[in-house]
Each structure stands twice: as structure tokens, then as C-alpha cells.
Amino acid sequence: MSKAPAKKPSAPPAATNRPRPDEPQPYDASKEELLEFYKQMLLIRRFEEKAGQLYGLGFIGGFCHLYIGQEAVAVGLQSALDGEKDSVITGYRDHGHMLAYGIDPKVIMAELTGRAAGISKGKGGSMHMFSTEKKFYGGHGIVGAQVSLGTGLAFKHKYSGDGGVCLAYFGDGAANQGQVYESFNMAELWKLPIIYVIENNQYAMGTSVNRASSEDQLYRRGESFRIPGIQVDGMDVLACRGAAEEALAWVRAGKGPLILEMKTYRYRGHSMSDPAKYRSREEVQAVRDKSDPIEHAKALLEGMGVTEADLKAAEAAIRKQVNEAADFAEQTSEPEPAELYTDVLVESY
């Protein structure tokens, strides 16, 4: 009787002692800071509601992806950035990120309506907005493309030694793109200063993350590349800001990239043309009732002594600002036909 073949030694167990950042704590905001976060989130909410109205009236054409429900992510994370050196890049649900970076609502709304006064001269529209002055590099219509481009921005930060960090946003749907993992591999090999932010709003274009992703705990997606990840309550602006503080400390220390999975939720469809029949109205309402980021911040402010009158005054000022942006966008002129031939190449021709 022949002997059984000798067993090959098993592979060593996966390392469990790799360095990783500390678990982030909610940011200890002062009353003034939290009030500012509240105002920024409310500005995004009211801006997006107005954009939805203008889309319905025909002032905005093409695609339009609203950020309603996800406001705490952009406000919490970007409030921790250094606007002089850090960069931001995202996909096509980009209005909120621009507002959170202090870009004038008028030029954003003018871009949505295709006007010459828009931030991309009316030629980019909802999905392709850009501001080199604010180091905001889009607004990208190709799913997942911003991950590779953001990795390039991080390479630039490291190569030039400017001390900057790139914040690269993408969604749970884009998390299954192949180019994401090529970028992860390169970023960890070169210890690039980048924070990959997965805005997990649960449904990608219309399929639940649990049905579309075999590993639906998306903060773990970098483990095979030795990139640590943290899962964050993306409906709590203070949790988002706390996570940003921890992530920035990790990356600025030269330890390489980090993944933040922001568990959030969009209240509207994927875009304005999406009836969102893949989920019930009751589900959406339950999230609004229990987890709305603006109502959560409002409750905290009231606990700090901010009065209802103060909050109503802030609401009135923001509504006025948004209405002025809409009026500006409706009344300014469209681009001249000659603009079709500008900004095609970097060099003059």
C-alpha cells in the first residue's frame, strides 16, 4: 500500500498585527464649529432641492445626480483639509463637494444650467465641474475614473513634496471597478498620500450593495494590498470629521494610503431620471426619521443652547442665497458658439 503523499506546509496565517490607525472618535466641535457644519449641510440640501426643481422645469438638461442625504460626508471630511495644499476629486455626484469646499453657489448653479458664467464656462454641466483655484479636480462621468486620477494627484503631491493629501471619493458601485485595485496597488507600493473615500449609499445605480458585492464591508477592500480601512457613520458630521482627522494624521505621517468607508444613504434616485423602484418609500422615510444628518446636527445644537430663532435665521439666509444663485443661473447668457473650440488642448493652437 503506497504511502499517502506528505502534506505540504500550509500558508502562514494572514498578518493581524499590521500597523493601522486608531479607531477615530467623533470630533469635539465647539458650538460655532458645529453651527458652521450645520449651515454647510443645509446649504447643500437646499441647493440640491432647488437643482431638482430647475431640472423639472427644463433649465437643467442631461444628467443630474443629487447629494441629498449624504451632506455630512463632504462637510465633515473637507472641513479637516488644508485648502492651500490638499486636493479633492470625485465622481459625477459632485455639487455637494464643491459647496463644501467653499465654491460660490452661483457659479455652480450657472454651470448646471449651461451658462457662460458657470465654473466650467457652461460646457461641463452637472457631471464635469472643476476648480484649480480650490484644488477641486472634478466631477468625472466615467465610473471609477477619478480613483486613478486621484492616485495621480497623490503622486504629484509626493513628487513635488508639497505636503498635500488627495481625497478621492467614489461610490459603492465604483468599488467593483478594476482600475480601483490597480490604483490601490500602486498607492501602497509608493506610499502615496491619498485617502480613498467610499461613499457607500447602499444602492450604486440601483442594485443593493449586498447583492452586487461579494465583500460588502467595503472598508476591507484594501486588505490584500495592506491598505487599512475604517468604517464610518456617514450620517454624522462629527463622526466624519473625526475620521478625517485620524486619516489625515496617518497619511501625512508617510504611512501610505487609507480607505474610509462612509456608510451613508441617498434619499433621491441615482439621478433625476431614476424612479428608485428598487426600494420602498417606507425604507427611505425610516432613514430620514432616524438618521438624517442635518436633523442630528440640529438636535446637538439645541442641546448646546442654540435657539430655534437662530436656526430659523440661518435657514432663511441659506434659502435666500440659493434663490439668488438660481436667479443668476436663469438670467445669465449661454456660451458663445466659439467656445466650442476653446479648452480642447492644453497648449494654444
Side-chain angles (χ1 to χ4, degrees), residues 39-40 70-71 112 126 134 139 143 169 171 198 244 265 312 335 344:
K39 289 177 180 178
Q40 289 179 356
Q70 299 181 215
E71 298 91 349
L112 295 181
S126 173
K134 292 286 187 178
V143 176
Y169 293 91
I198 305 175
Y265 197 87
K312 284 185 176 179
V344 178

Side-chain angles (χ1 to χ4, degrees), residues 219-292:
Y219 72 99
R220 297 175 177 166
R221 289 296 186 92
E223 286 181 356
S224 62
F225 302 95
R226 303 189 178 188
I227 300 175
I230 300 171
Q231 194 173 68
V232 184
D233 180 359
M235 305 299 274
D236 180 346
V237 71
L238 298 182
C240 295
R241 174 60 185 264
E245 297 274 342
E246 195 63 47
L248 286 164
W250 173 271
V251 175
R252 291 201 201 282
K255 296 178 180 178
L258 185 74
I259 294 171
L260 295 179
E261 180 194 0
M262 316 303 290
K263 294 296 290 290
T264 185
Y265 197 87
R266 56 173 168 77
Y267 295 166
R268 300 290 184 91
H270 173 69
S271 70
M272 285 297 296
S273 59
D274 172 19
K277 293 182 178 179
Y278 40 82
R279 60 186 184 182
S280 67
R281 290 186 179 181
E282 291 76 18
E283 177 186 317
V284 178
Q285 192 59 48
V287 176
R288 279 184 176 270
D289 292 343
K290 296 175 184 176
S291 305
D292 185 78

Side-chain angles (χ1 to χ4, degrees), residues 189-243:
L189 281 172
W190 292 347
K191 298 294 184 186
L192 298 183
I194 184 166
I195 301 169
Y196 294 109
V197 181
I198 305 175
E199 293 195 84
N200 182 0
N201 63 24
Q202 317 295 319
Y203 285 100
M205 283 187 69
T207 303
S208 165
V209 66
N210 312 105
R211 293 178 57 212
S213 298
S214 55
E215 174 53 275
D216 60 5
Q217 301 301 300
L218 302 181
Y219 72 99
R220 297 175 177 166
R221 289 296 186 92
E223 286 181 356
S224 62
F225 302 95
R226 303 189 178 188
I227 300 175
I230 300 171
Q231 194 173 68
V232 184
D233 180 359
M235 305 299 274
D236 180 346
V237 71
L238 298 182
C240 295
R241 174 60 185 264

Side-chain angles (χ1 to χ4, degrees), residues 38-93:
Y38 173 80
K39 289 177 180 178
Q40 289 179 356
M41 290 193 293
L42 194 59
L43 173 61
I44 294 171
R45 178 74 57 91
R46 298 294 176 250
F47 182 97
E48 295 290 64
E49 288 169 350
K50 178 62 73 173
Q53 291 173 11
L54 294 181
Y55 189 94
L57 293 169
F59 284 103
I60 297 173
F63 291 100
C64 185
H65 304 79
L66 303 181
Y67 202 61
I68 296 173
Q70 299 181 215
E71 298 91 349
V73 177
V75 171
L77 295 184
Q78 289 172 221
S79 66
L81 296 182
D82 183 331
E84 296 297 317
K85 57 187 180 182
D86 296 330
S87 58
V88 173
I89 191 168
T90 187
Y92 40 74
R93 196 182 306 279

